[in-house]
Every structure is written in C-alpha cells, then in structure tokens.
Amino acid sequence: MSTTDEVVEQILSTYDTITVVGASANPAKAANDVPAYMQQHGWRIIPVNPHADEIVGEKVYRSLADIPEQVGLVDVFRPSHDAPEVARQAVAAGASAIWLQLGIASAEARAIAEDAGLLYVEDRCLIIEQRRTGLAPTKS
C-alpha cells in the first residue's frame, strides 16, 4: 500500500494530461484557476462541463464518455456526494487515476476507484502538491 504522498508523486510525474470534471469558465473559481495553473506548468487540460464550450482555451466535453481519446487522470471539481458517480464514469471511460480536489472526499468513490485498480487521491489540491513536489509532467 502506497502512502498518499507517494501516489501524489506518481500521478504528477506520470500523467501529462489532466481531464478536469467540473472545470469552470469562471476565472474566479478554483475549478478554473487550478487547470489554468497546471496548463501553464506543462500539463495538457481536457475540461469536462455540460454548460461551457471552451475553458482555459481548450474544447470542453460534456461528459467523460464524450472524450474521443483514452482518459488517464481524472481531476474532480464536484461536490463530494457527486464523486461516486464521477468515479464510476471514470472507470467506464478507462481512466487509471482519480484525484478529488481539496475539500472533496468520498469513501464510496475511493472504493470504486481502488476496486478497479485506479490510483486515488482525495482532499488534495493539484497546485499545492505540484508546488510541494516541484514535479512537472513527463512528455511521452
């Protein structure tokens, strides 16, 4: 069993694309600021939001199922009670990691992710963890 810090470091050093469920077009929201920051530090962002067409300069998809390529890391900006459904959708989309942002936690989402063999982090901020570790994406 890996510690959360080890999983954080594995995710930050493995994935170069972040699929953001609940990404926001509002620059005042963390769901916009965090993807924009990660994008500025080398990660490709795939926003998922049923109510926007473009976020951080990227085409927005309505759902994980609509993304026409393999999904790897799914970053979640949805309330904790939505996390289990997002986890189920991430598993169905073939994701290999789920990250619930700071303030978001769900024992059910954790169980869904871990039962499917996905890496899982909850209640952590990508910006804080990227700054703490100093890691950048490895381009394939």
Side-chain angles (χ1 to χ4, degrees):
M1 179 66 86
S2 299
T3 69
T4 300
D5 284 347
E6 289 170 336
V7 175
V8 163
E9 290 180 19
Q10 182 179 356
I11 288 172
L12 288 174
S13 62
T14 302
Y15 296 90
D16 62 3
T17 300
I18 304 170
T19 301
V20 184
V21 173
S24 175
N26 182 344
K29 291 189 170 188
N32 179 278
D33 187 49
V34 171
Y37 173 93
M38 298 306 286
Q39 186 181 56
Q40 290 162 3
H41 286 81
W43 280 269
R44 178 173 167 240
I45 301 298
I46 301 174
V48 176
N49 180 317
H51 309 294
D53 294 320
E54 184 177 289
I55 295 174
V56 299
E58 299 293 336
K59 176 186 166 129
V60 177
Y61 293 92
R62 301 290 174 240
S63 71
L64 286 171
D66 292 336
I67 297 171
E69 62 188 80
Q70 180 62 51
V71 174
L73 170 59
V74 174
D75 181 33
V76 181
F77 280 96
R78 298 292 307 139
S80 295
H81 63 80
D82 289 348
E85 181 56 28
V86 174
R88 281 188 278 278
Q89 292 174 15
V91 169
S96 51
I98 298 177
W99 184 301
L100 305 186
Q101 280 294 138
L102 194 62
I104 307 168
S106 169
E108 185 180 358
R110 176 183 290 276
I112 291 164
E114 290 180 348
D115 287 350
L118 277 64
L119 297 172
Y120 183 87
V121 172
E122 65 183 9
D123 195 23
R124 298 264 184 127
C125 175
L126 276 168
I127 291 175
I128 292 169
E129 298 303 321
Q130 190 280 327
R131 287 178 178 158
R132 179 182 65 80
T133 62
L135 293 170
T138 305
K139 299 294 182 190
S140 39

